[in-house]
Amino acid sequence: MTDAPLDRVLELLRRRPDVETPELRAWDAADRYLLDTAEPWLRDRPAEVAVIEDTHGALTLGALALGAQHVRVHQDSLVARRALDANAGDAGVTAISHHALADVVSRDARLILLRLPRSLDRLDAIAREVARSAHPDAVLLAGNMVKHMTPTQNDVLRRSWERVDVSLARGKARLLTARGPRDVAPLEPAVGEAPEHGLRIVARAGVFGGASLDIGTRALLEVAEQWPAYETAIDLACGSGALAVALARRAPTARVIATDVSAVAVESARLTADANGVEVDTVQDDGLSTQPTDSADLIVLNPPFHVGAAVHTGVALRLFAEAGRVLRPGGQLWSVWNSHLDYAPALERAVGPTRQASRGPKFTVTVSRRR
């Protein structure tokens, strides 16, 4: 089989609904290295292949182009799933099914393709779940760009796979090949305490900040007494849900919504709310796409400053715009951000008049009032 079908698939891939700019591409050298290495398995037209953490569809659609009859997919990010579905729709491809991590690998799958997560805990959780259900002869091919890999990833994989081989680098990418799945216990959620705020934090592997408070969340909690009254409040990009718990405690009769693009984050927020005895509605969403216009009195936001592995303001700017739409006139967005990013002008444009609530050595907290 020639490379022509794969070349055509990669050429047509788009990132949407993820951020699209000239400098951001829908696939990279790690995706191509994984597919080129998988091609000998795929040319025999396997009935099923499993793909985990595909970013925009390169691995899934590439595997189908190279011979796979059906691909079972698990993606933590809702944006990644929607990007894959959009690209599959453009290509007229239907031989794809979405699954939870625990059942993405069927016993018929002898090949598993994994885009290596940067979080070692997330890698451990994935490797364990995959190994538990994999056929004894299954091969796990995992890869990423070298700058996002560490030798510790090899050790993590060896906890649940008998043998791990490391490839030579190609195009600044590297692969790990794991064989011999072990029957190991799944990774339990981490539990942490933030006694200064009376919080118990429960985190699934891979959620931002883990079972502790990151600096940005701490900065927002320190100004919580200044938050206005609210009947509906949203913890946008909620992570483990610490801010949602604070919102629910401060106004027990209010409706509090915790939303994040990550399924792991949404589950962590639910567990954190349960651990603190409060009611929170948890929603996996791309921004606030499922929330009505003019429906919230208060939104708190600790925005990401990465698009995938790249430092980029695109996601934060989209979240500001979504907050401006969902807030009622006069409603407030409380946001924390790295001071050097100077998001204040963008907040003025997207939401309304913006003032500084607090500022530390690294982070600034602002409050923006919806026009």
Side-chain angles (χ1 to χ4, degrees):
M1 181 176 290
T2 68
D3 285 343
L6 179 57
D7 291 335
R8 287 196 292 270
V9 165
L10 298 180
E11 181 182 353
L12 295 174
L13 280 183
R14 290 184 55 190
R15 295 173 56 89
R16 86 297 190 204
D18 202 356
V19 176
E20 289 193 301
T21 65
E23 70 272 19
L24 295 174
R25 192 170 62 171
W27 62 278
D28 62 15
D31 293 317
R32 187 60 190 254
Y33 198 178
L34 277 164
L35 289 166
D36 287 345
T37 304
E39 196 271 340
W41 282 280
L42 295 168
R43 71 163 68 104
D44 294 330
R45 293 189 54 77
E48 287 194 333
V49 172
V51 171
I52 302 169
E53 301 297 36
D54 199 355
T55 56
H56 300 93
L59 296 179
T60 302
L61 299 179
L64 289 167
L66 292 173
Q69 296 181 47
H70 185 88
V71 179
R72 297 166 65 92
V73 185
H74 171 76
Q75 295 160 292
D76 177 62
S77 166
L78 182 61
V79 166
R81 176 171 176 164
R82 289 178 174 174
L84 166 58
D85 287 345
N87 283 316
D90 288 348
V93 171
T94 59
I96 298 167
S97 56
H98 295 281
H99 300 269
L101 179 60
D103 66 1
V104 67
V105 177
S106 73
R107 296 288 285 187
D108 292 330
R110 300 295 191 274
L111 178 64
I112 304 151
L113 301 180
L114 167 64
R115 181 73 188 209
L116 279 168
R118 297 174 71 178
S119 163
L120 294 176
D121 286 344
R122 177 65 176 162
L123 176 57
D124 193 11
I126 291 171
R128 287 168 182 257
E129 288 288 357
V130 169
R132 283 167 55 81
S133 53
H135 189 279
D137 296 332
V139 175
L140 171 66
L141 290 180
N144 206 331
M145 303 305 291
V146 172
K147 64 183 178 181
H148 302 311
M149 296 177 66
T150 70
T152 308
Q153 291 173 323
N154 311 350
D155 299 329
V156 170
L157 279 176
R158 289 190 185 101
R159 296 173 191 168
S160 46
W161 294 77
E162 296 284 351
R163 175 179 170 183
V164 177
D165 297 311
V166 183
S167 77
L168 297 174
R170 192 190 86 175
K172 300 182 179 179
R174 193 184 300 278
L175 306 185
L176 305 178
T177 303
R179 294 178 172 87
R182 306 173 188 263
D183 187 7
V184 292
L187 200 62
E188 293 297 320
V191 179
E193 304 284 342
E196 69 277 27
H197 295 288
L199 284 171
R200 193 173 198 205
I201 303 167
V202 185
R204 288 286 185 188
V207 69
F208 176 72
S212 62
L213 295 179
D214 66 277
I215 300 175
T217 298
R218 287 183 183 277
L220 279 170
L221 288 172
E222 287 169 2
V223 297
E225 291 303 316
Q226 301 177 43
W227 295 343
Y230 47 88
E231 294 181 359
T232 300
I234 301 173
D235 179 1
L236 175 57
C238 65
S240 62
L243 292 170
V245 170
L247 288 165
R249 283 180 170 173
R250 194 162 181 272
T253 62
R255 183 188 181 203
V256 174
I257 302 163
T259 177
D260 202 290
V261 70
S262 162
V264 165
V266 170
E267 174 65 7
S268 298
R270 184 189 67 78
L271 293 171
T272 295
D274 290 347
N276 289 277
V278 297
E279 292 289 333
V280 172
D281 293 339
T282 54
V283 182
Q284 187 181 16
D285 200 358
D286 177 9
L288 296 171
S289 68
T290 62
Q291 300 302 319
T293 298
D294 299 344
S295 62
D297 305 298
L298 173 64
I299 297 175
V300 295
L301 170 63
N302 182 6
F305 57 93
H306 284 83
V307 175
V311 177
H312 199 282
T313 61
V315 173
L317 297 181
R318 283 181 56 193
L319 294 177
F320 296 160
E322 281 287 272
R325 178 185 65 81
V326 171
L327 282 169
R328 297 187 178 104
Q332 295 184 9
L333 168 65
W334 286 70
S335 186
V336 60
W337 33 273
N338 295 73
S339 298
H340 73 275
L341 293 173
D342 191 19
Y343 278 141
L347 287 162
E348 291 267 357
R349 292 190 296 271
V351 183
T354 298
R355 63 176 174 83
Q356 181 175 298
S358 70
R359 185 181 180 94
K362 294 184 178 180
F363 288 91
T364 296
V365 176
T366 52
V367 52
S368 304
R369 182 181 295 274
R370 163 78 191 282
R371 293 184 184 87

